[in-house]
Amino acid sequence: MADFEDGKDESALRTIGEVSEALDIKPHVLRYWEQQFSLLKPLKRSGGRRYYRPADVALVERINQLVNEEGYTLKGAEAVLRSRGGAELDRR
């Protein structure tokens, strides 16, 4: 799990900057992944500000593992997520 050192509760919502820093993934990559992975839907509040729930953070970690460590394409990674119970994560 991501290591957040901000003193917030584990169940707290996180901004895209907090998630980016904790997981060492650039914010533009996270925004791109939102477009490519229908399962990844952080909350959006006024002004379009994104808030990641703990489940969203876990999903980003899994996507990162599949794409950057295991070598899956984005489409392949989404297929893996959906085949392994990702449907319960789908928020659309």
Side-chain angles (χ1 to χ4, degrees), residues 15-26:
T15 65
I16 193 169
E18 292 170 331
V19 174
S20 171
E21 186 175 321
L23 300 179
D24 196 29
I25 302 171
K26 297 198 181 296

Side-chain angles (χ1 to χ4, degrees), residues 3 11 14 19 22 40 48 50 57 65 67 73 83 87:
D3 185 27
S11 62
R14 309 286 178 175
V19 174
L40 182 58
R50 292 164 172 81
V57 175
Q65 178 187 13
V67 172
T73 63
S83 70

Side-chain angles (χ1 to χ4, degrees), residues 18-70:
E18 292 170 331
V19 174
S20 171
E21 186 175 321
L23 300 179
D24 196 29
I25 302 171
K26 297 198 181 296
H28 73 270
V29 173
L30 293 172
R31 287 189 293 272
Y32 180 69
W33 284 355
E34 286 176 30
Q35 295 172 353
Q36 300 302 310
F37 291 90
S38 60
L39 298 173
L40 182 58
K41 282 293 180 194
L43 295 173
K44 286 191 183 175
R45 298 279 168 91
S46 62
R49 189 169 175 116
R50 292 164 172 81
Y51 290 97
Y52 288 78
R53 297 166 278 227
D56 296 322
V57 175
L59 182 57
V60 167
E61 287 178 305
R62 184 67 177 129
I63 291 169
N64 188 49
Q65 178 187 13
L66 289 169
V67 172
N68 293 320
E69 295 174 19
E70 297 181 25

